[in-house]
Amino acid sequence: MAKKKQVVKREFALIDESNRKSEISFFSNDEKIAPVPQYVFENLKHQLRPYQKQALFNLNWTQRDVNSNKYNHLMFNMATGSGKTDLMAAIVLYMYGEYGYRNFLFVSNTNAVVEKTKENFLNETGGKYLFSQPINIDGKRINIKDVNRFSNQMSNDTIQMKLTTVQSLSNELLSIRENGLTFDDLENQKIVILADEAHHFNASTKKDKLTQHTWEALLDKIRQANSANRQFEFTATIDVDKEEVYQKYRDKIIYKYELDKFMGEGYSKSVYRLQANNSDKEKMLNAVLLSQYRKRLAKKHNIADFKPVILFKSNLVKVSKQAQAEFLQLIEGLTASDLTQFIADQLKITHSEALRHTYEYWKNVDMTEAVSEIKRDFERKTSVNVNDTASEGILGDKADFKKLNTLEDPNNPIRTIFAVAKLTEGWDVLNLFDIVRIGEQSTTLMQTNSEAQLIGRGARYYPFEYEGERSYTRRFNSKENDMYLLESLYYHTINDSKYINNLHKSFDKMNLVSENDDDSNYQILSAKVKEGFQRTKVYKRGKLYQNKQEDVPAEDYSNIGAYGVDSKTMMVNVNSSTMEAGVSAAYDNETADVQKTVCDFYKASDRRLIKKAMARDRFYRYDVLSTYVPKLKSIEEFITSNDWLGRLKVVALVSDDSIELSMEERCQIVQKALTKIKEKIKQNYQKKRGTKEFYPVPISSIVHDYSKRVYTGERSQVSESIFSVDMSKKSWFVYDRAIVDHLEHEFISMIGRFVDDNELTKKYDDVYLIRNEETIDGLKIFEFQPGEDGVRHYQGFMPDFILYLADRDQQLAYQIFAEPKGDQLLNKDGWKQTLLESLDNIEVIAENEKIKLLGLKFYLRGDQNHIEEELSNKLGIDYRGFKFSMDKQK
């Protein structure tokens, strides 16, 4: 990690005053520090994060001050990606609702930022729109209108917005034109100026010399045209280390939220540098393998529409175009043998933890299938070259604007971008996970400054949904499993000392936290298949069994349970959705423990609320919904029938049962519930389900050497620790070491007692416990019938252990699935236990009828489920109530 620079201590009077007022606000009736009105939050599409709320609080007290005109020029100095535009949207609502401002002038220095902000403020049907629909303040519907000049004739229910570059604004005001904005307009009407990327508007200040013909002077003149005008500036990179800039802003910066704090609080991806002296083609292929592994990892964990994007950055247009041509040629000519050899060669030399695990994954898959997939995902039509100009940024070409500003859209096919990314202000990409530096480039500080800015933008967090919850902060901060890759940005670059030194300086300037991709605080634990086991007939000829899958016919989607939705209760965590991030799991558990019913679908009195919530989502129009629910006759049936949502109760988890929810809050909670239902329906329609027909798989194809990355730093819970146990003398365990947590070790010890007491070996010649390791894609079984609640689960289940028992001629063989499970996961994973217990009446396709598959209940700590007794009974072994200890053999 780069060392932090030493900087001169700077004091900001407004921030100090805001902190003081924030401390006393809860105990004061002073209206100058009254809370921000609730309608501001209710009319935003996104819940504001705590730091955004603090920024709004700081603005609020300045505008309520009796001398508020002295606060007519303020700056918000906030990190790239921290949601400055969301804050602007909140300020628009606040200044309109509290002080009657109807005219808002948004300015920036590039068309890219202006076009992006138009999508945010004006395009109600776009995915980037920031307001709720419709905007409603005090019972009045408020419209936002795009204007060229501000009109006095406009309705009081209309907010007028003019969005323009500062260059165009200067030309417009200094040369009179028809329908253009004039200084007379500015004198006669009060306006709010929203100046984005405001560090560009300090030319006179930096030169310490007043100049009439600068953007800075132009904005000063507009602000001063009317004493009621306000100018609010936003930037991530104001250079207050310069004395002239500091003197200008020392009493104007109302809020600071810098990049290191933003990243430290988990609102960004983690940033890693991959430094190597590889060729460009090797770096390209490494990025592709890492990116495609992320995509497969997301799919494995049922994360929908996860599409990681790679940016290949060059310093010259011709180099960028050549790089794209070489990349497409590389992918087109790739073969399975080429990729196999590349992975084998790279494994010998790589020091990258991420790449090593990526290689380990790919070397154990069907390489022909992998190459076909890579060619499909990285073909010409999924690649775009957007070479920019110095003034426009990579979004300067309007033809590419939509492609680049909608990269998260599942219908946008782009996976690779080739660009001379000099300026990237306005690029709101979230699913950029790899930036690859192409070609021999200069190592000047100016060059690395632009690269650091690009990395800062790429570090924006992608809020994907995992296990039914969407998070806006990192969830996988340790590297215990590869899920952290879904929250990490990798910068692939050269290993040149001068360049790295300059890059560190650039990171320091931005307070950007970056780490090398090394093994500090982690260790790699490995388990090898014992040579003795590899010589056995069980390894060479033995079989394990997993069930076949079949397509779910459309007619079987006859109720909501078939889509994996609980038809009785849908929980919405109000606390977590409001805070959005920054609270620990423990805090969530403490505060979100009171259930408050929001609506019952079976109550006629709640029907109006339900229909209003549905009307806000186009998915719940019959023409759309019926494409996923072909058995549905009408929306009314969907709401009222017991087969669908007729029995559903929507429950909010709140911190205090006395909290009264407004009608709009209730509607938003129902919307969240409907969104969860929508995603389940879309995810689980036209899926495959398990059958009762099991088929053989060679044991040798399941049991492989494997490694596991284990965190070695401090932990909050000892039970989470993973350790390695020597199993070399335990002939019944197929690996030389067991890589386990405490609960798994306890289960293995229980099986060991059966063996050591000769209870199993008396009856069976072959006794082997197999670790069904997910990192090498072990054996999965699939649910073939819904549980008692009628809810279907289509994802595969990979039990942690398989106990294999067979007599001398393998005429009698048992395959017993077992899963140690922590108490906290019992409810969530209850369907898995039901599946294990249902393995009695199945059809095994085998050489004889004596192949038996069994499943045990979950093994709980201390054998609370009495698995020893259950196993004894199922196998016809005398149960003796063995006592055991938890001695570990490390």
Side-chain angles (χ1 to χ4, degrees):
M1 187 182 296
K3 294 179 180 179
K4 288 294 173 188
K5 61 181 177 181
Q6 297 296 316
V7 296
V8 178
K9 173 71 174 175
R10 297 299 196 187
E11 296 181 355
F12 300 96
L14 291 186
I15 294 177
D16 293 339
E17 180 65 11
S18 295
N19 291 337
R20 187 184 71 81
K21 290 184 181 296
S22 191
E23 289 176 3
I24 66 173
S25 64
F26 295 106
F27 309 101
S28 172
N29 293 319
D30 186 347
E31 67 174 12
K32 287 183 293 187
I33 50 177
V36 175
Q38 190 62 29
Y39 67 77
V40 173
F41 306 109
E42 291 172 350
N43 284 289
L44 293 173
K45 180 178 177 181
H46 302 140
Q47 295 286 342
L48 292 187
R49 299 168 180 175
Y51 62 84
Q52 293 167 321
K53 290 181 179 180
Q54 184 63 51
L56 205 53
F57 172 90
N58 292 7
L59 173 69
N60 183 37
W61 75 257
T62 64
Q63 301 310 296
R64 290 180 180 275
D65 193 281
V66 291
N67 298 314
S68 62
N69 278 353
K70 72 178 182 180
Y71 303 120
N72 68 345
H73 184 191
L74 301 172
M75 169 173 277
F76 297 85
N77 180 201
M78 298 172 66
T80 295
S82 62
K84 295 188 291 294
T85 318
D86 275 307
L87 181 59
M88 286 184 214
I91 290 173
V92 169
L93 296 172
Y94 171 77
M95 295 301 291
Y96 170 83
E98 294 301 290
Y99 304 106
Y101 284 84
R102 296 191 298 114
N103 305 316
F104 294 84
L105 174 64
F106 174 90
V107 294
S108 185
N109 72 310
T110 67
N111 280 323
V113 176
V114 172
E115 291 302 317
K116 181 267 295 186
T117 310
K118 284 183 178 179
E119 288 288 305
N120 296 149
F121 285 167
L122 302 174
N123 185 4
E124 295 182 4
T125 62
K128 303 278 187 176
Y129 188 63
L130 295 181
F131 299 100
S132 61
Q133 299 185 55
I135 299 174
N136 188 302
I137 298 177
D138 296 332
K140 293 190 300 184
R141 180 166 180 164
I142 310 302
N143 299 308
I144 300 179
K145 185 176 177 63
D146 185 17
V147 299
N148 287 322
R149 62 187 300 181
F150 302 117
S151 169
N152 280 321
Q153 308 305 314
M154 200 71 70
S155 163
N156 285 334
D157 296 344
T158 299
I159 293 172
Q160 300 183 92
M161 293 205 73
K162 180 178 176 68
L163 297 94
T164 181
T165 63
V166 69
Q167 301 95 319
S168 297
L169 181 64
S170 176
N171 294 336
E172 189 173 353
L173 287 170
L174 298 177
S175 58
I176 298 175
R177 65 185 70 178
E178 187 177 358
N179 294 323
L181 190 67
T182 68
F183 280 108
D184 288 339
D185 296 332
L186 303 174
E187 291 174 0
N188 296 329
Q189 301 184 70
K190 64 180 184 180
I191 67 170
V192 175
I193 305 166
L194 302 172
D196 199 12
E197 306 297 349
H199 54 282
H200 292 293
F201 307 143
N202 289 295
S204 296
T205 297
K206 288 180 179 178
K207 293 177 181 177
D208 195 21
K209 178 172 148 184
L210 292 177
T211 306
Q212 296 280 328
H213 306 295
T214 64
W215 298 338
E216 183 177 8
L218 176 69
L219 292 179
D220 287 344
K221 187 173 181 180
I222 294 173
R223 185 182 69 254
Q224 295 161 5
N226 187 314
S227 62
N229 286 354
R230 297 289 184 266
Q231 181 174 334
F232 301 139
E233 298 183 359
F234 304 82
T235 184
T237 54
I238 189 70
D239 193 359
V240 291
D241 286 345
K242 291 187 182 301
E243 184 63 27
E244 299 81 6
V245 176
Y246 170 65
Q247 290 301 328
K248 175 180 178 179
Y249 285 105
R250 63 184 302 176
D251 60 352
K252 294 181 175 63
I253 294 181
I254 188 66
Y255 189 66
K256 283 181 74 69
Y257 189 67
E258 295 184 293
L259 190 58
D260 55 348
K261 187 172 183 181
F262 176 67
M263 298 181 75
E265 292 183 347
Y267 289 107
S268 73
K269 303 183 187 86
S270 297
V271 176
Y272 293 93
R273 300 190 312 280
L274 284 172
Q275 300 163 198
N277 291 322
N278 290 343
S279 68
D280 285 344
K281 287 186 177 181
E282 287 172 328
K283 282 191 286 188
M284 286 175 173
L285 197 49
N286 277 332
V288 165
L289 290 173
L290 184 55
S291 181
Q292 202 66 0
Y293 177 43
R294 283 194 189 91
K295 184 177 178 182
R296 284 196 172 193
L297 191 63
K299 184 177 181 181
K300 173 183 176 181
H301 290 279
N302 299 308
I303 298 171
D305 301 324
F306 193 95
K307 185 196 64 171
V309 170
I310 306 170
L311 172 65
F312 295 101
K313 180 200 175 299
S314 306
N315 66 332
L316 296 172
V317 171
K318 66 177 183 180
V319 173
S320 180
K321 290 182 176 179
Q322 181 181 350
Q324 185 183 29
E326 289 178 353
F327 174 79
L328 294 173
Q329 186 178 12
L330 172 67
I331 298 299
E332 185 178 346
L334 192 64
T335 66
S337 59
D338 290 341
L339 191 56
T340 300
Q341 188 61 53
F342 175 81
I343 290 171
D345 292 342
Q346 293 294 310
L347 266 172
K348 296 174 184 176
I349 61 174
T350 188
H351 293 287
S352 161
E353 197 176 1
L355 287 179
R356 181 170 58 252
H357 279 265
T358 299
Y359 299 144
E360 292 287 354
Y361 169 80
W362 287 112
K363 80 172 188 177
N364 289 304
V365 303
D366 184 323
M367 198 58 72
T368 301
E369 180 184 332
V371 169
S372 296
E373 180 183 301
I374 288 170
K375 289 188 175 191
R376 185 170 60 250
D377 276 22
F378 293 93
E379 61 182 336
R380 184 173 298 276
K381 70 179 182 181
T382 66
S383 179
V384 62
N385 192 297
V386 283
N387 290 298
D388 67 321
T389 66
S391 64
E392 294 297 335
I394 65 173
L395 296 182
D397 187 342
K398 290 187 178 182
D400 292 321
F401 175 81
K402 187 172 183 180
K403 288 180 182 177
L404 292 177
N405 213 36
T406 59
L407 282 169
E408 302 94 341
D409 189 330
N411 296 320
N412 183 328
I414 299 301
R415 291 291 303 277
T416 59
I417 302 164
F418 290 80
V420 178
K422 295 174 183 175
L423 298 173
T424 54
E425 292 166 355
W427 191 21
D428 285 338
V429 62
L430 301 180
N431 58 334
L432 177 63
F433 287 90
D434 293 277
I435 301 175
V436 184
R437 193 175 191 266
I438 295 296
E440 291 297 324
Q441 301 180 20
S442 62
T443 57
T444 66
L445 194 57
M446 182 178 295
Q447 174 73 19
T448 55
N449 283 345
S450 70
E451 292 181 14
Q453 291 171 18
L454 177 60
I455 294 167
R457 290 197 167 271
R460 294 173 184 225
Y461 186 77
Y462 179 59
F464 58 88
E465 183 173 310
Y466 174 65
E467 294 186 338
E469 295 292 333
R470 189 177 301 279
S471 176
Y472 293 82
T473 54
R474 294 191 300 274
R475 286 175 274 197
F476 307 102
N477 284 318
S478 79
K479 294 184 179 178
E480 285 190 1
N481 63 59
D482 285 351
M483 291 294 285
Y484 85 96
L485 291 173
L486 306 186
E487 299 181 326
S488 300
L489 172 74
Y490 277 81
Y491 187 53
H492 307 242
T493 186
I494 58 174
N495 190 13
D496 176 84
S497 59
K498 182 180 178 182
Y499 167 78
I500 297 301
N501 184 51
N502 280 340
L503 191 61
H504 283 174
K505 291 177 181 177
S506 299
F507 287 166
D508 286 347
K509 185 175 181 179
M510 288 182 59
N511 286 326
L512 194 156
V513 181
S514 172
E515 301 182 40
N516 285 315
D517 179 47
D518 59 24
D519 295 331
S520 57
N521 289 327
Y522 298 89
Q523 68 177 120
I524 304 299
L525 301 180
S526 298
K528 296 183 180 298
V529 184
K530 292 174 181 173
E531 292 184 2
F533 178 66
Q534 293 183 55
R535 291 193 293 267
T536 66
K537 64 180 183 300
V538 172
Y539 179 78
K540 294 177 180 178
R541 299 191 296 275
K543 305 285 195 307
L544 295 175
Y545 295 84
Q546 67 182 106
N547 57 333
K548 291 184 176 180
Q549 291 179 276
E550 64 181 8
D551 294 327
V552 182
E555 58 268 21
D556 278 20
Y557 286 100
S558 57
N559 58 70
I560 199 67
Y563 294 88
V565 178
D566 185 342
S567 64
K568 295 180 181 178
T569 305
M570 177 65 69
M571 296 283 187
V572 177
N573 191 331
V574 174
N575 284 334
S576 62
S577 61
T578 299
M579 296 300 290
E580 212 164 70
V583 292
S584 67
Y587 179 86
D588 284 341
N589 290 337
E590 287 177 10
T591 59
D593 56 358
V594 180
Q595 297 183 12
K596 193 175 188 71
T597 299
V598 174
C599 83
D600 292 321
F601 274 66
Y602 49 84
K603 285 186 178 179
S605 58
D606 286 342
R607 205 64 47 78
R608 184 178 175 190
L609 173 67
I610 294 162
K611 289 184 176 180
K612 183 176 182 179
M614 277 187 166
R616 295 181 177 181
D617 191 334
R618 190 180 181 281
F619 178 80
Y620 287 105
R621 297 179 185 177
Y622 181 73
D623 61 331
V624 179
L625 183 59
S626 60
T627 62
Y628 293 93
V629 189
K631 301 284 286 185
L632 194 64
K633 298 182 178 67
S634 67
I635 293 293
E636 189 68 20
E637 180 192 15
F638 189 70
I639 296 172
T640 61
S641 171
N642 286 347
D643 286 335
W644 302 105
L645 303 185
R647 296 180 295 167
L648 183 68
K649 178 185 292 186
V650 176
V651 176
L653 294 175
V654 296
S655 58
D656 186 348
D657 194 38
S658 66
I659 292 174
E660 289 298 325
L661 299 171
S662 68
M663 185 61 71
E664 177 58 26
E665 286 172 327
R666 289 176 65 202
C667 190
Q668 289 178 5
I669 291 168
V670 176
Q671 273 186 271
K672 291 178 185 293
L674 288 170
T675 297
K676 289 184 176 183
I677 293 169
K678 172 181 69 175
E679 291 173 354
K680 283 283 189 181
I681 290 173
K682 293 173 72 173
Q683 175 183 318
N684 289 328
Y685 183 52
Q686 295 183 331
K687 281 284 193 178
K688 289 183 178 292
R689 66 186 176 195
T691 70
K692 290 186 177 182
E693 184 178 342
F694 281 63
Y695 65 95
V697 178
I699 286 180
S700 58
S701 69
I702 299 298
V703 179
H704 297 288
D705 296 349
Y706 71 95
S707 298
K708 206 161 195 171
R709 180 176 44 242
V710 176
Y711 181 64
T712 57
E714 293 183 4
R715 296 178 180 279
S716 60
Q717 296 183 21
V718 175
S719 61
E720 294 176 350
S721 60
I722 306 290
F723 52 90
S724 178
V725 180
D726 182 8
M727 302 296 287
S728 58
K729 296 181 180 179
K730 306 293 184 181
S731 60
W732 46 271
F733 195 78
V734 302
Y735 289 102
D736 64 346
R737 303 195 69 83
I739 303 171
V740 290
D741 60 23
H742 288 271
L743 184 61
E744 292 165 340
H745 180 259
E746 187 178 313
F747 170 80
I748 292 174
S749 298
M750 182 201 76
I751 298 298
R753 286 192 307 279
F754 274 95
V755 177
D756 293 342
D757 203 61
N758 296 322
E759 291 299 324
L760 292 177
T761 52
K762 285 177 186 176
K763 194 167 185 179
Y764 304 100
D765 292 279
D766 296 316
V767 177
Y768 292 107
L769 184 63
I770 298 169
R771 177 62 193 246
N772 195 26
E773 177 55 42
E774 65 177 4
T775 62
I776 53 175
D777 287 334
L779 191 75
K780 280 186 179 180
I781 53 176
F782 299 88
E783 187 182 71
F784 46 78
Q785 62 190 31
E788 293 180 1
D789 58 3
V791 177
R792 282 276 188 185
H793 301 86
Y794 297 102
Q795 65 268 41
F797 167 40
M798 191 181 296
D800 286 339
F801 294 95
I802 302 171
L803 180 61
Y804 179 90
L805 307 172
D807 62 12
R808 183 180 302 277
D809 300 318
Q810 295 194 357
Q811 293 302 302
L812 176 63
Y814 280 99
Q815 175 180 318
I816 304 171
F817 293 104
E819 172 93 351
K821 184 68 65 176
D823 294 355
Q824 75 278 9
L825 298 173
L826 291 182
N827 289 335
K828 175 177 169 292
D829 287 346
W831 69 273
K832 296 178 181 178
Q833 178 164 281
T834 301
L835 175 57
L836 290 175
E837 292 182 289
S838 66
L839 294 176
D840 295 336
N841 303 311
I842 56 174
E843 179 184 354
V844 178
I845 307 301
E847 292 80 2
N848 61 70
E849 298 179 354
K850 293 186 178 181
I851 304 297
K852 303 293 183 184
L853 269 63
L854 298 174
L856 302 176
K857 293 195 293 286
F858 287 156
Y859 180 86
L860 307 180
R861 187 167 303 283
D863 196 15
Q864 299 169 52
N865 260 346
H866 306 294
I867 302 305
E868 269 187 312
E869 186 172 8
E870 181 186 4
L871 184 58
S872 299
N873 291 336
K874 287 191 174 185
L875 297 178
I877 297 172
D878 290 337
Y879 173 68
R880 301 183 180 182
F882 302 116
K883 300 295 181 184
F884 56 93
S885 65
M886 275 296 296
D887 296 330
K888 295 198 296 284
Q889 302 173 43
K890 289 191 178 181

